[in-house]
Amino acid sequence: MSDTDDFPTLRATGIGSMPGGDAREAARTVTGTFAGGEGMPYLPELPARGPGADMTGRTAGLLADLHAQLEPSGWRIADRPGRDMRRAVSWLREDLDALEEYTQGYEGPLKLQVTGVWTLAAALQTRGGEAFLGDAGACRDLAASLAEGLRGHLAEVRRRVPGARLVLQLDEPSLTAVLTGTVRTASGYRTYRAVDRQVVESALHEVAAVHDGPVLAHSCAPSVPFALLRRAGFAGASFDFSLLTEGDDEALGEGVEAGFRLLAGVVPGTDTALSDPAGSVMGVRTWWRRLGLNPGLLPEAVAITPSCGLAGASPGYARAALAHCVRAANSLADNPE
């Protein structure tokens, strides 16, 4: 895991998920929008294909020495890999094939997204039917398994796209709930107790440390623990800009001054009428002035993204939203004040 100095300067990117089930079309859209120097292309995720393409099943397919299968209650650890895992692995291979096809000769930043250890621990069940989150030893095993699986995944992408500078994004939408003890048990009648912040930080660091390049955290939930992510060694964070409050200002201001990169989700993730690009980033400029930071630093410190994944959008809107991110980021760069 590198420090923030290694983070590529970029203006825009996407979150990860895309609509539909056509891997080649998704790869073509993402690379066509971002691979020309305007931003950072990424490996698309297509959850509409079904179980195994969802964020939990997809990442479960990467785990080392742990296998999962889909039960009526969700993804559960199994004794051996079955049909569900074979499907997850097959779809990921299909996505990598498409990405490789559309990144021939590409040199630049390329983002990979996987479910982070704590969101995975909140969603993946042990054999007893409760989440890994309720068993500290199981969580440690899960972190080690995910870290080992990620090493192989990163090596595979480096082989397929040798000119890429990989950026790893760990999707942690459940992180705040893990820290506050609000993740519900399988019955729904109670919640798992909050996990100690030092334990959370240690596991985040263990998983992120497998990558020798920049690592981001993504969450479109409220109250992202930005300071904790910085301590865990993350180079930046991706978040829904509309959910920021003044309570986040101190951590983000200190982070920016230390080189922590921000990926601000300002473009809606589902079909809507898009404003003009300058209007989309007006709130970012206002917020930056409130922090009292140097306007010239804004285009280097902040990239523009959709507010969350685009899986729920129409294909046409998804294309338009990503292109809008580029135009809005260019507006911000041209006029940061």
Side-chain angles (χ1 to χ4, degrees), residues 38-98:
E38 297 283 10
M40 180 165 59
Y42 54 93
L43 176 64
E45 302 165 352
L46 302 171
R49 290 180 297 196
D54 61 295
M55 63 184 296
T56 302
R58 184 178 178 89
T59 301
L62 293 174
L63 296 175
D65 301 321
L66 284 178
H67 314 295
Q69 63 187 20
L70 191 60
E71 302 284 349
S73 58
W75 287 97
R76 185 176 297 182
I77 288 300
D79 293 331
R80 61 185 62 84
R83 178 184 60 185
D84 297 324
M85 285 295 89
R86 288 193 295 271
R87 185 168 47 204
V89 170
S90 175
W91 274 331
L92 179 57
R93 187 180 304 117
E94 180 181 307
D95 295 339
L96 289 170
D97 288 344

Side-chain angles (χ1 to χ4, degrees), residues 10-15 34 38-40 238-239 241 262-267 277 280-285 298-299 301-307 321-333:
L10 61 100
R11 292 187 177 182
T13 189
I15 301 302
F34 297 120
E38 297 283 10
M40 180 165 59
S238 166
F239 54 92
F241 182 77
L262 309 179
L263 280 69
V266 300
V267 177
S280 293
V281 292
M282 185 183 304
V284 177
R285 292 191 185 95
L298 178 53
V302 178
I304 299 302
T305 74
S307 58
L322 295 180
H324 191 84
C325 288
V326 173
R327 291 193 294 270
N330 288 338
S331 171
L332 195 65

Side-chain angles (χ1 to χ4, degrees), residues 213-256:
V215 182
L216 293 170
H218 165 70
S219 174
C220 42
S223 304
V224 176
F226 295 107
L228 183 149
L229 293 171
R230 280 185 57 212
R231 291 195 302 271
F234 286 74
S238 166
F239 54 92
D240 182 342
F241 182 77
S242 71
L243 298 179
L244 289 185
T245 69
E246 290 190 11
D248 297 310
D249 286 358
E250 181 177 356
L252 287 176
E254 291 177 354
V256 167

Side-chain angles (χ1 to χ4, degrees), residues 307-319:
S307 58
C308 209
L310 295 168
S314 67
Y317 178 80
R319 290 190 294 270

Side-chain angles (χ1 to χ4, degrees), residues 6-337:
D6 293 324
F7 200 101
T9 299
L10 61 100
R11 292 187 177 182
T13 189
I15 301 302
S17 67
M18 297 286 286
D22 187 333
R24 294 182 74 254
E25 176 61 26
R28 179 165 54 238
T29 296
V30 166
T31 56
T33 304
F34 297 120
E38 297 283 10
M40 180 165 59
Y42 54 93
L43 176 64
E45 302 165 352
L46 302 171
R49 290 180 297 196
D54 61 295
M55 63 184 296
T56 302
R58 184 178 178 89
T59 301
L62 293 174
L63 296 175
D65 301 321
L66 284 178
H67 314 295
Q69 63 187 20
L70 191 60
E71 302 284 349
S73 58
W75 287 97
R76 185 176 297 182
I77 288 300
D79 293 331
R80 61 185 62 84
R83 178 184 60 185
D84 297 324
M85 285 295 89
R86 288 193 295 271
R87 185 168 47 204
V89 170
S90 175
W91 274 331
L92 179 57
R93 187 180 304 117
E94 180 181 307
D95 295 339
L96 289 170
D97 288 344
L99 182 72
E100 183 178 4
E101 177 182 350
Y102 286 99
T103 52
Q104 293 295 312
Y106 174 70
E107 295 183 355
L110 176 66
K111 182 163 68 73
L112 308 177
Q113 309 83 217
V114 300
T115 306
V117 61
W118 290 109
T119 296
L120 198 60
L124 189 60
Q125 300 169 6
T126 64
R127 289 179 179 83
E130 291 294 344
F132 270 68
L133 192 59
D135 184 329
C139 287
R140 287 192 294 271
D141 291 343
L142 184 62
S145 175
L146 179 58
E148 186 59 32
L150 271 177
R151 289 188 181 93
H153 183 47
L154 289 161
E156 172 76 358
V157 179
R158 289 190 191 100
R159 182 185 67 78
R160 288 172 175 264
V161 194
R165 289 180 290 138
L166 298 185
V167 175
L168 176 62
Q169 176 180 303
L170 298 177
D171 291 330
E172 284 284 12
S174 298
L175 181 58
T176 301
V178 168
L179 289 165
T180 56
T182 54
V183 176
R184 293 203 168 274
T185 60
S187 68
Y189 293 122
R190 61 184 183 87
T191 58
Y192 293 101
R193 63 169 34 163
V195 181
D196 181 86
R197 297 181 78 87
Q198 288 187 330
V199 173
V200 169
E201 182 181 328
S202 176
L204 288 170
H205 185 275
E206 178 184 356
V207 175
V210 305
H211 184 37
D212 60 2
V215 182
L216 293 170
H218 165 70
S219 174
C220 42
S223 304
V224 176
F226 295 107
L228 183 149
L229 293 171
R230 280 185 57 212
R231 291 195 302 271
F234 286 74
S238 166
F239 54 92
D240 182 342
F241 182 77
S242 71
L243 298 179
L244 289 185
T245 69
E246 290 190 11
D248 297 310
D249 286 358
E250 181 177 356
L252 287 176
E254 291 177 354
V256 167
E257 291 178 337
F260 192 71
R261 302 300 179 89
L262 309 179
L263 280 69
V266 300
V267 177
T270 53
D271 291 40
T272 189
L274 294 170
S275 68
D276 68 285
S280 293
V281 292
M282 185 183 304
V284 177
R285 292 191 185 95
T286 302
W287 169 74
W288 198 259
R289 286 195 295 270
R290 188 175 83 205
L291 293 184
L293 296 170
N294 178 3
L297 182 62
L298 178 53
E300 297 179 14
V302 178
I304 299 302
T305 74
S307 58
C308 209
L310 295 168
S314 67
Y317 178 80
R319 290 190 294 270
L322 295 180
H324 191 84
C325 288
V326 173
R327 291 193 294 270
N330 288 338
S331 171
L332 195 65
D334 293 342
N335 182 20
E337 300 186 73

